[in-house]
């Protein structure tokens, strides 16, 4: 797999640059991006890509930010407390819910996460976004891209990272820009200074070379190669259609288990919003619900640690800011049979934790 890797070579060499460019082209093609959309590899993983977008684009008009879990709330903090934009409206819902999206005003810029990774609540579709809009839509879709169908023409900025659905090596972010986002970059300059790692504009024009493989700074060519490998695997399972199908099949398996297991339920309240990648579960056993929040967290942790000790399942504890519970990854790299194999183990672990009080 690594025989074509340009490790130990400059990423600015003819071959290194070509490898980056072909990764960009392959990604755009597989995702089916509309004509005129740019895709670039940027520093700082998904966070880097989102920050780059927020810092570069916001401030030209009012902003509506929607959040329903920890990562989305992080973007609220960035916009309100770091960028300190004067005209911001926030629409924040608790874990398990979506905010009222009908309140969003698309004459403003709109920032949101497609899939709330830590609550397992996703947007069911893009019907709430008008095709004609004055503001930009800026979407952190890191746990959605390649596992959910995205309405590209309704999204002006989309970000993701390789380690999520494609299971690649982490480090780099991917930033997708619509022609309208490029127009904004070329017509508006924020008043604040722009660090070099965020800078996409040169002499008032988009620095197109970033979107051709001239990364802003040095990428890991090993990660780049691994991302190529991820795409090759994705092609072998039918591209985006195949990936979405694999992920949805995983969710269907979990749904079946949840339906026949009385003590567990989805954290997402509306079935239409249940994520097929970050599948977050709550414990609905009356015994558990009668415990203090602290004891609930202890029990959930115990379930996760019992599973780890048996090497039956790893990292299944809910995210640190989420309500105590379990989280299963249902992304395309996961085999449904592995999830099926985990269910009896999880039942065993919960029974053990409950018996231990
Ligand atoms: C929705 C969302 N946004 C941002 C991040 C941060 O991503 P990264 O670690 O790639 O910067 C994550 C990570 O899980 C996420 O799920």
């Amino acid at each position: 797999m690594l025989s074509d890797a340009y490790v130990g070579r400059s990423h600015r060499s003819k071959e290194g640059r070509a490898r980056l460019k072909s990764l960009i082209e392959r990604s755009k093609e597989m995702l089916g991006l509309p004509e005129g959309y740019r895709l670039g590899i940027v520093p700082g993983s998904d966070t880097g890509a989102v920050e780059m977008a927020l810092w570069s684009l916001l401030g030209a008009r009012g902003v509506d930010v929607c959040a329903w879990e920890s990562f989305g709330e992080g973007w609220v903090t960035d916009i309100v407390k770091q960028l300190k934009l004067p005209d911001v409206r926030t629409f924040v819902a608790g874990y398990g819910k979506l905010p009222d999206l009908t309140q969003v005003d698309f004459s403003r810029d709109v920032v949101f996460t497609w899939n709330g990774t830590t609550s397992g609540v996703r947007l069911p579709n893009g019907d709430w976004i008008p095709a004609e809009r004055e503001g930009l839509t800026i979407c952190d879709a890191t746990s959605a891209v390649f596992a959910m169908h995205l309405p590209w023409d309704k999204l002006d900025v989309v970000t993701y990272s390789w380690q999520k659905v494609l299971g690649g090596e982490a480090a780099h972010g991917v930033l997708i820009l619509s022609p309208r986002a490029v127009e904004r970059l070329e017509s508006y300059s924020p008043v604040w200074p722009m660090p070099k790692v965020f800078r996409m504009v040169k002499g008032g024009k988009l620095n197109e070379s970033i979107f051709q493989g001239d990364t802003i700074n040095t990428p890991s060519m090993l990660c780049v190669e691994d991302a190529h490998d991820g795409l090759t695997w994705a092609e072998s399972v039918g591209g985006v259609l195949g990936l979405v199908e694999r992920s949805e099949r995983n969710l269907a398996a979990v749904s079946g288990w949840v339906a026949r297991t009385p003590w567990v339920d989805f954290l997402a309240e509306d079935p239409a919003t249940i994520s097929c990648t970050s599948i977050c579960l709550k414990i609905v056993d009356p015994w558990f619900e009668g415990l203090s929040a602290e004891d609930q967290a202890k029990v959930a942790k115990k379930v996760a640690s019992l599973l780890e000790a048996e090497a039956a399942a790893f990292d299944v504890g809910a995210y640190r800011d989420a309500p105590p519970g379990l989280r299963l990854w249902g992304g395309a790299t996961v085999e449904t049979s592995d999830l099926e194999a985990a269910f009896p183990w999880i039942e065993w672990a919960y029974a053990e934790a409950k018996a231990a009080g």
Side-chain angles (χ1 to χ4, degrees):
M1 294 299 182
L2 294 177
S3 58
D4 288 340
Y6 288 91
V7 290
R9 288 290 308 277
S10 167
H11 63 292
R12 309 248 185 245
S13 68
K14 195 164 135 264
E15 296 85 352
R17 196 173 175 276
R19 204 73 190 134
L20 283 155
K21 189 169 190 318
S22 79
L23 181 58
I24 290 173
E25 295 306 327
R26 289 181 77 193
S27 306
K28 284 169 80 167
E29 195 185 325
M30 182 171 292
L31 291 171
L33 296 191
E35 195 61 35
Y37 274 56
R38 273 62 157 202
L39 183 150
I41 298 162
V42 301
S45 206
D46 178 68
T47 308
V50 177
E51 302 280 20
M52 203 164 163
L54 301 183
W55 254 251
S56 301
L57 295 163
L58 295 187
R61 50 178 69 223
V63 184
D64 281 5
V65 202
C66 305
W68 50 94
E69 49 78 66
S70 164
F71 286 105
E73 281 169 18
W75 307 138
V76 173
T77 302
D78 257 35
I79 293 164
V80 174
K81 295 206 173 135
Q82 295 292 328
L83 284 172
K84 299 188 170 70
L85 293 179
D87 181 11
V88 181
R89 303 193 309 164
T90 59
F91 302 91
V92 179
Y95 279 82
K97 296 182 170 69
L98 279 179
D100 180 2
L101 300 172
T102 63
Q103 300 302 309
V104 173
D105 175 359
F106 288 92
S107 69
R108 301 157 66 83
D109 292 332
V110 183
V111 179
F112 55 97
T113 303
W114 194 273
N115 180 67
T117 318
T118 65
S119 70
V121 174
R122 67 169 155 181
L123 291 168
N125 53 54
D127 294 356
W128 58 291
I129 307 170
E132 296 295 323
R133 54 193 182 275
E134 289 166 50
L136 298 176
T137 48
I138 301 175
C139 176
D140 170 4
T142 195
S143 51
V145 177
F146 292 111
M148 299 172 197
H149 293 296
L150 298 179
W152 294 107
D153 56 334
K154 292 191 169 180
L155 304 173
D156 295 302
V157 177
V158 176
T159 65
Y160 68 92
S161 51
W162 296 328
Q163 71 270 24
K164 284 286 191 301
V165 176
L166 292 182
E169 277 303 297
H172 305 293
V174 175
L175 177 68
I176 295 172
L177 300 177
S178 76
R180 296 181 64 246
V182 173
E183 217 175 272
R184 169 74 62 82
L185 285 171
E186 294 184 338
S187 62
Y188 160 74
S189 296
V191 292
W192 46 81
M194 196 66 65
K196 183 176 172 183
V197 286
F198 288 176
R199 234 175 285 154
M200 289 184 266
V201 177
K202 217 168 147 182
K205 284 276 166 209
L206 180 75
N207 183 356
E208 294 277 4
S209 67
I210 296 173
F211 303 90
Q212 301 285 327
D214 284 332
T215 49
I216 295 172
N217 62 346
T218 313
S220 156
M221 295 308 276
L222 196 59
C223 293
V224 165
E225 204 52 34
D226 194 58
H228 267 291
D229 187 48
L231 289 181
T232 303
W233 170 77
E235 281 161 5
S236 78
V237 298
V240 171
L241 274 178
L243 296 170
V244 169
E245 226 174 81
R246 284 174 66 88
S247 192
E248 289 292 348
R249 204 180 311 140
N250 287 335
L251 172 58
V254 178
S255 297
W257 176 64
V258 166
R260 62 181 186 264
T261 310
W263 58 267
V264 75
D265 202 358
F266 291 106
L267 189 53
E269 289 175 11
D270 176 353
T273 66
I274 300 173
S275 170
C276 61
T277 56
S278 59
I279 307 174
C280 297
L281 303 168
K282 60 182 178 187
I283 299 170
V284 291
D285 182 357
W287 167 78
F288 181 87
E289 288 171 326
L291 298 175
S292 68
E294 201 182 321
D295 287 339
Q296 286 186 348
K298 277 190 197 152
V299 171
K301 271 204 175 119
K302 174 100 180 146
V303 173
S305 64
L306 282 166
L307 291 166
E308 293 216 10
E310 297 293 336
F314 293 99
D315 307 328
V316 297
Y319 190 74
R320 59 186 175 211
D321 300 334
L326 303 169
R327 186 168 58 156
L328 302 174
W329 185 247
T333 49
V334 172
E335 298 296 335
T336 307
S337 55
D338 284 344
L339 275 171
E340 301 273 11
F343 300 146
W345 278 107
I346 300 171
E347 287 168 35
W348 164 82
Y350 181 66
E352 288 286 302
K354 188 172 172 178

